[in-house]
Amino acid sequence: MEATDSHSGPPAYQGSGDDTKEKRTSITGDAYTTDYGADTELKRSLSTRHLTMIALGSSIGMGLWLGSGLSLASGGPAGIFLGYCLAGSMIWCVSHSIGEMACVYPVPSAFVQWTGKFIDPSAAFALGWSYWFSYCITIANELQSANTVIKFWTSAVPIAAWISIWFVVIVLINVGAVTIFGEIEVIASTIKFGWIFVIIISMIVMSAGGAAYGPVGFRYWNEMPFTHGFKGFLSVMPTCIFAMSGSENSGLVAAETSNPRKSIPRAVGSIWLRLSLFYLIGSLMVTINVSPTNEDLFGGEGTNASPFVIAYRDAGIPVLAHMMNAVILISVISTGSISGYGGSRTTMGLAYLDMAPKVMKRADKTGRPWYGLVPTFILGGGLAYLNVSESGADVFGWFSNLTSLFTLFGWGMICLSHIRFRHAWARQGRTPEELPWKSWIYPLGPWWGLIMCILLIIVQFYLSVWPLGEAPSAENFFANYISVIIIIIMWLGARLYFRGPWWVDLDTIDLDEGRRFYKTDIEKSKATGVKGVAKKVVGAILN
């Protein structure tokens, strides 16, 4: 049984029918005047502005603001910086693969459905359900981290109460229309994007001698670039991957974007801004202001605060410390919100692959997939309440390790899907020029991303067997590597159900199933003067 036969493709993939497509005929062939195809009950009401800002800042949350403390203590200044460089190169390649494929196939669960189409239904099953669980874990982790952030101000309110408050906020953001969700994410991303410039300028001044503790410069780089050697550097990679997890959400949002061909390339083009400003320069600012031996770092014996907050507090600038903590709280809520969004859209995509109840295909008239939202928040919220009796740093460590492995599996499947998509595209006589947008780093980009994902899964196995600073134990191994075991069990279980070949036959894939077709471009006069210059500058930055 061929993989393409086992799932005949839902009507939603087939467009809206010939009667809804306006077509004109010219000497160059048929030209469509409206976009069509890849339609579902979700509403295409998000604009380029929404998608660009979501891609720019939605994944900036606890992984960066809090997790950098764990990474700084474990790997040292050079370790954390190099870790973000390596992880950044991976997500840059992954984002390009997402960009090219999401323009062609802007479907609800994006890479889950691409995996089923170009790799194997069993892999799609394992990826979809593991990623849904990962979104639920992230909701719980963000809620737990909100408690850590609040403790900087007060510990008088019980942890369960704060979890309830922020959980309600996250739910309310998602139960509104998708445009409300989009606007809230735009506001949150704008705050984060604006604040990073405050961090860069202020911390350079602090390190140069403007702080109460005097000039620091690269003192910590000279004294202890790697706190625990090469193994310490390897140990920061799960946290770095976790910090960047969620970057792939732009592929999910494409299904609710009015013009994916315009919006997605702009979102992909903004990735370098996020990587350079937030992760690379942001982590660099921490390393030149905060000692890796500071006991107040997240995971230490002190206040368990963000290294960014510690830098401002120790510098004698309490106003900026409080403002930084507020930005972190906004970031945490924003990331929790988009995790609920991602979880519900993933279940919808699984339903279109006949791997989840068919009712999960449905959305109400405003485009809210209730049958996916409710179970996502029930599990995510339930996991958050289980954290009440544990320390925030311990919970963060467990959940970030789980999520980072799910993320590596997802990134690897995205890159492999892209490689096989291009092979199928060529073998069926099509050229890259026919694509709505093509990645300029193919084929090196997806191959680099895939190889690095495999290597880091092996690294995580090594760290699970021989953890940093701890004796090997079965408990530690399963706590840190259970994600891979879950993925393998689901994959093999799905193989028993679907049977058939291990790979989808590239020659029999229907490349037009689930595809979005775009209207023919009409030649427009180019803008001149100030407007023309401004467009060229923005285009150079974002493309």
Side-chain angles (χ1 to χ4, degrees), residues 354-436:
D354 296 328
M355 297 175 183
K358 291 184 178 181
V359 71
M360 287 184 168
K361 293 181 183 180
R362 297 172 56 185
D364 64 15
K365 62 181 180 180
T366 61
R368 292 171 294 189
W370 287 106
Y371 295 99
L373 280 170
V374 172
T376 299
F377 281 120
I378 288 176
L379 182 57
L383 290 172
Y385 285 107
L386 290 176
N387 299 340
V388 172
S389 61
E390 301 290 346
S391 74
D394 288 341
V395 171
F396 177 86
W398 299 333
F399 281 173
S400 63
N401 285 333
L402 285 171
T403 304
S404 64
L405 284 167
F406 285 139
T407 299
L408 287 172
F409 179 49
W411 289 1
M413 289 295 101
I414 290 170
C415 293
L416 184 57
S417 295
H418 186 200
I419 293 168
R420 288 181 58 80
F421 159 67
R422 277 295 196 102
H423 281 218
W425 194 261
R427 285 170 64 164
Q428 295 189 28
R430 309 192 189 199
T431 65
E433 286 67 32
E434 297 177 60
L435 297 171

Side-chain angles (χ1 to χ4, degrees), residues 13 36-38 44 97-107 114 117-118 254 260-261 264 421-422 425 430 432 434-438 511-518:
Y13 285 171
Y36 71 97
R44 293 190 177 275
S97 294
I98 290 173
E100 182 171 298
M101 297 191 69
C103 282
V104 184
Y105 304 106
V107 290
W114 304 337
K117 187 178 185 73
F118 295 104
R261 182 176 59 171
I264 294 171
F421 159 67
R422 277 295 196 102
W425 194 261
R430 309 192 189 199
E434 297 177 60
L435 297 171
W437 181 79
K438 59 181 179 178
L511 293 173
D512 291 333
E513 180 187 356
R515 182 182 174 187
R516 185 75 172 169
F517 295 88
Y518 298 95

Side-chain angles (χ1 to χ4, degrees), residues 128-146:
W129 285 112
S130 63
Y131 240 78
W132 175 75
F133 185 52
S134 177
Y135 282 123
C136 295
I137 290 175
T138 303
I139 292 172
N141 216 358
E142 300 296 332
L143 290 171
Q144 175 65 40
S145 297

Side-chain angles (χ1 to χ4, degrees), residues 147-166:
N147 297 323
T148 302
V149 174
I150 291 294
K151 284 181 180 178
F152 181 77
W153 290 311
T154 179
S155 57
V157 180
I159 293 177
W162 282 122
I163 289 178
S164 300
I165 292 170
W166 302 124

Side-chain angles (χ1 to χ4, degrees), residues 232-514:
F233 163 67
L234 293 179
S235 71
V236 309
M237 290 309 303
T239 307
C240 292
I241 296 296
F242 176 75
M244 295 187 181
S245 65
S247 302
E248 60 276 18
N249 287 329
S250 57
L252 306 180
V253 180
E256 295 175 77
T257 303
S258 56
N259 188 351
R261 182 176 59 171
K262 176 183 177 182
S263 303
I264 294 171
R266 181 68 59 86
V268 172
S270 70
I271 292 296
W272 76 269
L273 280 174
R274 181 181 52 182
L275 294 176
S276 58
L277 289 176
F278 285 95
Y279 296 108
L280 302 186
I281 300 179
S283 64
L284 180 62
M285 293 302 101
V286 167
T287 64
I288 62 175
N289 283 281
V290 182
S291 169
T293 60
N294 193 312
E295 292 186 351
D296 289 333
L297 284 171
F298 185 59
E301 299 177 356
T303 57
N304 264 321
S306 161
F308 296 89
V309 174
I310 291 172
Y312 287 130
R313 186 197 59 193
D314 292 350
I317 315 175
V319 173
L320 287 181
H322 288 291
M323 293 176 68
M324 181 75 244
N325 214 48
V327 171
I328 294 174
L329 182 59
I330 292 172
S331 301
V332 164
I333 301 306
S334 168
T335 306
S337 170
I338 200 165
S339 296
Y341 174 95
S344 62
R345 273 59 180 182
T346 298
T347 56
M348 176 177 272
L350 285 166
Y352 276 115
L353 291 172
D354 296 328
M355 297 175 183
K358 291 184 178 181
V359 71
M360 287 184 168
K361 293 181 183 180
R362 297 172 56 185
D364 64 15
K365 62 181 180 180
T366 61
R368 292 171 294 189
W370 287 106
Y371 295 99
L373 280 170
V374 172
T376 299
F377 281 120
I378 288 176
L379 182 57
L383 290 172
Y385 285 107
L386 290 176
N387 299 340
V388 172
S389 61
E390 301 290 346
S391 74
D394 288 341
V395 171
F396 177 86
W398 299 333
F399 281 173
S400 63
N401 285 333
L402 285 171
T403 304
S404 64
L405 284 167
F406 285 139
T407 299
L408 287 172
F409 179 49
W411 289 1
M413 289 295 101
I414 290 170
C415 293
L416 184 57
S417 295
H418 186 200
I419 293 168
R420 288 181 58 80
F421 159 67
R422 277 295 196 102
H423 281 218
W425 194 261
R427 285 170 64 164
Q428 295 189 28
R430 309 192 189 199
T431 65
E433 286 67 32
E434 297 177 60
L435 297 171
W437 181 79
K438 59 181 179 178
S439 167
W440 55 271
I441 62 173
Y442 181 87
L444 295 180
W447 275 111
W448 169 258
L450 177 60
I451 292 170
M452 288 309 303
C453 285
I454 295 172
L455 290 177
L456 287 180
I457 290 174
I458 296 172
V459 166
Q460 189 81 335
F461 175 81
Y462 166 72
L463 293 172
S464 298
V465 176
W466 296 281
L468 181 67
E470 298 180 34
S473 68
E475 179 183 358
N476 187 80
F477 174 80
F478 284 105
N480 291 289
Y481 213 66
I482 190 66
S483 300
V484 175
I485 299 173
I486 292 173
I487 290 169
I488 292 174
I489 291 174
M490 288 196 295
W491 195 333
L492 293 179
R495 285 293 313 158
L496 292 174
Y497 176 78
F498 289 108
R499 300 184 183 277
W502 284 87
W503 296 95
V504 170
D505 185 355
L506 296 180
D507 294 317
T508 62
I509 294 174
D510 184 355
L511 293 173
D512 291 333
E513 180 187 356

